[in-house]
Amino acid sequence: MRIILMGPPGSGKGTQADLIEQKYAFPKISTGDLLRQAVQNGTSLGKEAEVRMNRGELVSDDTVVQMVAERTAKDDCKQGYILDGFPRNLNQARMLEKLKNSHPEVILDIQLSEEILIQRLSSRRICSRCGKIFNLSLNPAVQMDICDLCKGDLVQRRDDRPKVIKERLRIYHSETKPLIEYYQRRSVYHRIDGERPIQTVFRDIRSVIDSETDKYKQTGAIQ
Ligand code: AP5
């Protein structure tokens, strides 16, 4: 199964991808995380990506598609995987379809109001060591600024500053939103109300994944 998580910045893709990974044991592939890792490692790709990410712009399609192709070719993706934040535009969606390691798909599009997105992004903190996602007001760590899992420091992402959030939302509307029209003609496209608590959203997601899995089993597409 290939699970595609769509939605605007701050809609909860990363949070839900972690929960799906724990429940279904499919690896989470977040293009944002892979790019942040490359930035942290100081690779040439990371240096190129950092400038764009700090401005809230998309990194080039060829770069991210290459990253996804390499990651999904690994053994742990044979049974399936979760794509968080990819594809991000029509060109990426078409390139994804050409990848060899395709699977039966479920597309989950998490939607909520822009006002709530901005609140969530402004108060998000992530662990600088393991990447776990927290929120100062909505999903706080037990100890302020310390990760519950690995005790790493919690930091604010550079692209969670107000000016960059505005640009990311602008790019979402111009480049990513047209993807909804592209995908919503497919029966595997599901819109998820992301305005509710994390576990309530996850309950909906689980029910969609389970019912799509059953359908694919009936057609023999998966065992
Ligand atoms: P990326 O890291 O993918 O950022 P994004 O898509 O903008 O999404 P976010 O990570 O900001 O939010 P999210 O939806 O995962 O929400 P989260 O779960 O954290 O990309 C960053 C950059 O990398 C891009 O701008 C671009 O430059 C580049 N990039 C990445 N992919 C690319 C691609 N394919 N092509 C080109 N460039 C690419 O939740 C947000 C907050 O809300 C958290 O604090 C969380 O605790 C809280 N929260 C979540 N759910 C709930 C809930 N239900 N109730 C209350 N609080 C909640």
Side-chain angles (χ1 to χ4, degrees):
M1 182 79 89
R2 173 158 74 198
I3 299 166
I4 297 181
L5 276 170
M6 298 174 62
S11 54
K13 301 181 295 295
T15 302
Q16 296 298 329
D18 286 341
L19 294 170
I20 299 169
E21 183 177 49
Q22 280 161 28
K23 165 84 185 155
Y24 295 92
F26 294 136
K28 160 186 161 179
I29 302 174
S30 156
T31 41
D33 287 350
L34 290 174
L35 289 165
R36 277 185 288 279
Q37 191 63 58
V39 171
Q40 210 170 351
N41 294 344
T43 63
S44 56
L45 186 157
K47 283 181 186 139
E48 181 207 321
E50 187 174 20
V51 179
R52 286 174 168 267
M53 291 169 83
N54 286 346
R55 288 201 292 240
E57 296 166 1
L58 294 185
V59 174
S60 81
D61 293 345
D62 287 340
T63 303
V64 286
V65 171
Q66 169 84 13
M67 269 179 6
V68 170
E70 281 171 13
R71 180 63 189 87
T72 57
K74 296 200 169 152
D75 278 355
D76 64 339
C77 292
K78 278 195 178 135
Q79 298 302 317
Y81 49 89
I82 308 156
L83 291 176
D84 162 10
F86 179 91
R88 208 71 155 217
N89 58 29
L90 281 171
N91 190 36
Q92 291 180 13
R94 292 188 179 118
M95 289 165 98
L96 174 66
E97 275 152 29
K98 291 188 189 140
L99 290 187
K100 282 193 194 124
N101 41 357
S102 64
H103 289 75
E105 256 171 17
V106 181
I107 301 164
L108 302 164
D109 182 14
I110 308 176
Q111 287 295 333
L112 61 163
S113 77
E114 202 145 307
E115 199 189 334
I116 297 181
L117 292 175
I118 293 169
Q119 277 172 13
R120 285 189 187 175
L121 288 173
S122 316
S123 51
R124 171 168 56 189
R125 294 293 181 271
I126 59 165
C127 175
S128 56
R129 203 183 290 164
C130 73
K132 186 167 167 55
I133 305 162
F134 295 90
N135 194 287
L136 290 180
S137 49
L138 303 159
N139 180 26
V142 175
Q143 259 181 293
M144 176 94 162
D145 292 336
I146 307 281
C147 177
D148 291 351
L149 290 185
C150 72
K151 306 289 173 210
D153 292 334
L154 301 189
V155 295
Q156 183 169 38
R157 269 171 46 176
R158 284 178 69 91
D159 59 354
D160 279 346
R161 289 168 297 164
K163 200 173 149 204
V164 188
I165 292 175
K166 210 169 148 197
E167 179 61 5
R168 287 161 66 200
L169 288 170
R170 189 189 68 74
I171 290 192
Y172 170 77
H173 285 290
S174 63
E175 300 209 26
T176 310
K177 250 192 154 172
L179 258 188
I180 297 178
E181 209 176 307
Y182 180 73
Y183 278 138
Q184 72 186 356
R185 290 177 229 130
R186 304 185 188 180
S187 63
V188 293
Y189 169 91
H190 298 269
R191 201 181 165 100
I192 305 288
D193 173 3
E195 251 175 55
R196 295 153 313 144
I198 292 172
Q199 288 301 332
T200 313
V201 175
F202 184 53
R203 193 193 57 207
D204 273 16
I205 286 181
R206 260 181 16 225
S207 120
V208 169
I209 294 175
D210 292 345
S211 96
E212 289 297 338
T213 304
D214 286 345
K215 283 191 217 156
Y216 280 124
K217 278 184 179 161
Q218 280 163 20
T219 63
I222 53 177
Q223 291 171 348

